[in-house]
Amino acid sequence: MSLALALILAANLSPVRAELVEAPLLEPRANGGSIGERPFDKLRANGSGESVRTREGGEFRARPPEDEIIYFVLPDRFDNADPSNDRGGLKGGPLQTGFDPTRKGFYHGGDLKGLIRRLDYIQALGATALWVGPIFKNKAVQGAPGQESAGYHGYWITDFTTVDPHLGTDADFRALVDAAHARGMKVYMDIIVNHTADVIQIRECAGRSECVYRSRADYPYQRRGGVTGQPINPGFAGDGVHTADNFATLTDPSYAYTPVVPAAEKGIKVPAWLNDVTLYHNRGDTTYRNESSTMGDFVGLDDLMTENPRVVAGMIDIFGGWIDRYGIDGFRIDTAKHVNPEFWRVFIPAMEARAKAKGIANFHMFGEVSEHDIRPAALAEWTRTADLPAVLDFAFKEAVAATVAGTQGTVLFEHLFDGDAIYAKGADTARILPTFTGNHDDGRIATSIRKAFPAAPEAEILDRVRLSNAMLLTLRGVPTIYSGDEQGFAGDGGDQDAREDMFASKVASYNDNRLVGSTRTTATENFGSDGALFRQIAELSRIRRAEPALRRGTTVIRYRQDTPGLLAISRIDPATGREVLLTFNTSTTQVTRQVQVEVASARFAALAGACASTATAPGSVTVTLPPLGYSICASDSK
């Protein structure tokens, strides 16, 4: 079979055998516009006269978190609608402005106006919520000589109160939120409380590539430079006593190292209280383990002393202000596990109260607790000890990677979903966990698949990516699509290697990668709606929005095995009892099995793929799937 023919066949959105009942496919419109129905197709005015899109008879804010489909973007890498802001108003070359579209670690020019003009594209994909990477003003460039990179990603903040000029203005952000809300789309901000940009320097570590972490036992707050040093900070009872009176006695920051702020950067941080070096740990670089996990600097980034009530109050004021000013709908919380849990137990209810006062229902907050383990215990812990309402579901990502971008058995999903019980509110919490198959830090699922199966033909790579999308859009949780995945982006790895431009890129290491399911590359803009993966995600999104069982249903595992092969899961609508049977084949051979279903599920309609039209016997249905195929079969039981 020729590669071209293989791609044509693989692009067919029906993944199962023709002799079964096949679901109809939605074709792109003739004008190349939106695919299928619009996610929100009614307009009405609310009490203030504002036009809002409505769906299922309610305003967009009435939708609970599990009803969303999230689209995640780094604004700098999405679309450049205003080249005048590419250098952020700074003068000089890349090391001064941070702008160099040929280098993957520098600003490329994307901005908030670019996001606004592409909302049609995002909504056509089926997204109902937009997660926007950090937009706060960043330190343009940092790093040792020869190792510099820029703050294009948004995580090196100097001013927490305003938009980075590389991305636009505060007015641009307001326009983005208003435009999204007018379409019935929510906007989630990516926020950081763990650290700021690298401004504070450590005198003892000058000229070194790393600054070794110094623990509280070896370098207590009450001694300068170690246990035998000069007494300092009399009366300080330790960072476990979270009172303003206690922290008022912590006046000398030289317990572990000597923090120094360069003259050129004194007062650079906003709000002004962030320039007080006593509000940082100043203990050296984190090892990402044990005590240093919450007290060490991320490769030099200034680690805030979030135990101090001054920092707690300051962060509540900062991010509460963004809610007050812009009426955003939620927060993705960066590096949540690197902040002491006590902070979150104060911050979370404060943000919920601010949102409630603003009239924002279902304000959704989810923390980044990065764990590369299928067992969800480490994730669930933070919903209990820190009261995080939800966390990004890294365990889900690992299960998909191990089975679709790997060769482990589908039994892993049983282990994954058995763990739902240990979240703070059990299945209710698990249902609102944002699920994903790849991101800007860990890399894309297509990258993992190509690395795991280097000899596989492109048709198989496409099938595996499509299978991962089917899992993401139908299993429990809130599906989160990383921009570019719908175009088949397949970077070289994680971090900078997974942050390709959606507009025409000038980065050679991006442009030499062929897209999955396409002959295109990132050298040209990629906002088309006719590609195999875009069409598939749009169709799955439509199905998910139409089926309450896929958004809110309970999860019942019907079939799994210790080797690659069949995974069968029923999602059952608790309100009506309607069963939607999901089947996935992670093997490269056809499978046929009898699968248990509810006795009342006598007839089935194919929503995607092919399904047996009737049960073989009460409580049992025949499932046939081709290699790497899937199907979505809805029963008529109600």
Side-chain angles (χ1 to χ4, degrees), residues 42-43 90 100 102 122 199 206 228 234 254 277 301 315 347 373 379 427 449 465 489 547 559 577 579 617:
K42 295 180 182 179
L43 277 171
L90 301 173
D100 186 344
T102 69
I122 295 170
V199 172
T228 62
S254 61
V277 296
L301 296 172
M315 286 297 173
F347 180 86
D373 195 331
L379 300 176
I449 291 170
V465 173
F489 281 17
E547 286 292 337
Y559 193 97
E579 178 176 13

Side-chain angles (χ1 to χ4, degrees), residues 307-634:
E307 302 87 352
N308 190 323
R310 178 68 187 92
V311 175
V312 178
M315 286 297 173
I316 288 173
D317 185 56
I318 287 170
F319 293 115
W322 285 93
I323 296 173
D324 294 344
R325 294 194 303 276
Y326 298 99
I328 45 136
D329 305 284
F331 292 144
R332 179 268 190 180
I333 304 170
D334 180 68
T335 53
K337 78 169 186 177
H338 300 293
V339 175
N340 58 304
E342 296 86 356
F343 175 93
W344 298 122
R345 293 204 293 267
V346 178
F347 180 86
I348 294 295
M351 294 302 98
E352 291 173 337
R354 276 305 249 280
K356 183 177 180 180
K358 185 73 172 177
I360 303 170
N362 297 306
F363 193 82
H364 192 30
M365 288 178 278
F366 48 99
E368 179 201 29
V369 179
S370 180
E371 294 287 345
H372 298 92
D373 195 331
I374 292 171
R375 296 166 296 184
L379 300 176
E381 172 190 359
W382 285 85
T383 68
R384 291 181 175 274
T385 62
D387 292 344
L388 290 175
V391 292
L392 284 164
D393 197 348
F394 278 83
F396 179 93
K397 179 257 184 185
E398 292 299 316
V400 175
T403 55
V404 179
T407 58
Q408 296 191 51
T410 57
V411 69
L412 293 184
F413 285 92
E414 181 176 55
H415 303 330
L416 172 70
F417 295 134
D418 280 351
D420 287 357
I422 66 177
Y423 287 97
K425 297 180 181 179
D428 287 343
T429 297
R431 192 163 51 248
I432 65 172
L433 304 179
T435 51
F436 64 102
T437 59
N439 65 18
H440 61 314
D441 291 327
D442 288 9
R444 300 181 184 275
I445 188 67
T447 312
S448 300
I449 291 170
R450 279 188 169 162
K451 288 183 177 180
F453 303 97
E458 280 298 299
E460 179 181 330
I461 302 299
L462 177 59
D463 281 345
R464 289 184 181 275
V465 173
R466 293 175 65 252
L467 185 59
S468 73
N469 289 339
M471 291 177 170
L472 178 65
L473 271 297
T474 60
L475 295 175
R476 71 99 181 97
V478 187
T480 303
I481 302 160
Y482 177 35
S483 63
D485 281 353
E486 75 279 10
Q487 297 293 341
F489 281 17
D492 297 312
D495 199 72
Q496 294 180 8
D497 288 327
R499 299 173 181 177
E500 304 99 317
D501 305 304
M502 291 286 287
F503 56 98
S505 182
K506 298 180 181 179
V507 177
S509 65
Y510 294 163
N511 294 342
D512 65 4
N513 295 321
R514 180 178 173 181
L515 308 188
V516 175
S518 172
T519 58
R520 297 170 63 86
T521 71
T522 54
T524 57
E525 70 170 38
N526 285 280
F527 292 106
S529 61
D530 58 350
L533 293 175
F534 187 101
R535 293 177 61 232
Q536 184 214 12
I537 292 173
E539 171 71 351
L540 290 171
S541 296
R542 182 195 64 77
I543 293 169
R544 184 180 183 89
R545 294 194 310 272
E547 286 292 337
L550 296 183
R551 292 178 275 119
R552 309 171 194 175
T554 56
T555 294
V556 181
I557 297 179
R558 300 298 195 183
Y559 193 97
R560 81 286 181 275
Q561 57 188 76
D562 294 330
T563 56
L566 180 63
L567 173 67
I569 291 176
S570 289
R571 304 291 309 280
I572 300 176
D573 183 353
T576 66
R578 178 178 170 88
E579 178 176 13
V580 178
L581 178 65
L582 311 171
T583 62
F584 313 93
N585 180 11
T586 64
S587 75
T588 54
T589 58
Q590 178 177 303
V591 297
T592 298
R593 299 283 188 278
Q594 291 302 127
V595 172
Q596 182 184 0
V597 291
E598 298 297 296
V599 171
S601 298
R603 290 179 295 277
F604 291 89
L607 303 182
C611 304
S613 59
T614 59
T616 311
S620 179
V621 67
T622 303
V623 169
T624 298
L625 291 175
L628 303 172
Y630 67 90
S631 66
I632 306 173
C633 310

Side-chain angles (χ1 to χ4, degrees), residues 10-95:
N12 186 332
L13 297 184
S14 177
V16 291
R17 293 298 185 190
E19 62 265 31
L20 303 178
V21 177
E22 294 194 10
L25 305 180
L26 290 182
E27 296 297 332
R29 291 180 179 175
N31 62 5
S34 301
I35 295 177
E37 65 178 6
R38 297 282 297 199
F40 310 98
D41 54 8
K42 295 180 182 179
L43 277 171
R44 67 181 178 86
N46 64 14
S48 65
E50 174 190 10
S51 289
V52 294
R53 296 277 178 179
T54 63
R55 174 174 172 270
E56 296 181 348
E59 295 182 5
F60 69 96
R61 278 183 168 147
R63 297 195 307 264
E66 59 265 37
D67 277 10
E68 309 302 339
I69 298 171
I70 302 171
Y71 189 77
F72 168 48
V73 298
L74 290 176
D76 177 68
R77 301 301 166 91
F78 194 65
D79 191 24
N80 187 359
D82 185 2
S84 71
N85 60 34
D86 287 354
R87 291 169 176 79
L90 301 173
K91 304 295 184 181
L95 295 184

Side-chain angles (χ1 to χ4, degrees), residues 161-398:
T161 67
T162 192
V163 170
D164 190 310
H166 291 85
L167 305 180
T169 65
D170 292 359
D172 292 337
F173 184 62
R174 180 176 300 282
L176 171 63
V177 175
D178 289 347
H181 284 174
R183 296 165 173 269
M185 297 178 69
K186 296 181 180 179
V187 177
Y188 299 152
M189 290 185 73
D190 200 317
I191 68 169
I192 303 95
V193 305
N194 177 66
H195 58 264
T196 71
D198 183 13
V199 172
I200 301 172
Q201 305 302 304
I202 301 298
R203 179 175 296 161
E204 293 84 351
C205 296
R208 301 180 188 176
S209 60
E210 71 172 318
C211 194
V212 176
Y213 182 80
R214 290 182 170 179
S215 70
R216 289 175 294 185
D218 293 325
Y219 295 87
Y221 292 107
Q222 298 81 2
R223 294 291 184 272
R224 177 174 293 145
V227 294
T228 62
Q230 175 187 351
I232 56 175
N233 300 319
F236 184 59
D239 55 32
V241 180
H242 302 147
T243 66
D245 287 345
N246 179 48
F247 277 91
T249 65
L250 184 63
T251 58
D252 189 334
S254 61
Y255 36 83
Y257 287 111
T258 308
V260 178
V261 177
E265 295 186 314
K266 288 185 182 296
I268 194 176
K269 296 180 184 179
V270 180
W273 62 265
L274 288 165
N275 296 295
D276 183 349
V277 296
T278 68
L279 298 180
Y280 298 82
H281 287 118
N282 303 312
R283 289 187 172 276
D285 293 336
T286 183
T287 66
Y288 306 98
R289 298 187 301 275
N290 303 320
E291 174 188 306
S292 81
S293 178
T294 58
M295 296 191 173
D297 293 352
F298 278 50
V299 288
L301 296 172
D302 302 346
D303 196 75
L304 278 157
M305 189 176 285
T306 47
E307 302 87 352
N308 190 323
R310 178 68 187 92
V311 175
V312 178
M315 286 297 173
I316 288 173
D317 185 56
I318 287 170
F319 293 115
W322 285 93
I323 296 173
D324 294 344
R325 294 194 303 276
Y326 298 99
I328 45 136
D329 305 284
F331 292 144
R332 179 268 190 180
I333 304 170
D334 180 68
T335 53
K337 78 169 186 177
H338 300 293
V339 175
N340 58 304
E342 296 86 356
F343 175 93
W344 298 122
R345 293 204 293 267
V346 178
F347 180 86
I348 294 295
M351 294 302 98
E352 291 173 337
R354 276 305 249 280
K356 183 177 180 180
K358 185 73 172 177
I360 303 170
N362 297 306
F363 193 82
H364 192 30
M365 288 178 278
F366 48 99
E368 179 201 29
V369 179
S370 180
E371 294 287 345
H372 298 92
D373 195 331
I374 292 171
R375 296 166 296 184
L379 300 176
E381 172 190 359
W382 285 85
T383 68
R384 291 181 175 274
T385 62
D387 292 344
L388 290 175
V391 292
L392 284 164
D393 197 348
F394 278 83
F396 179 93
K397 179 257 184 185
E398 292 299 316

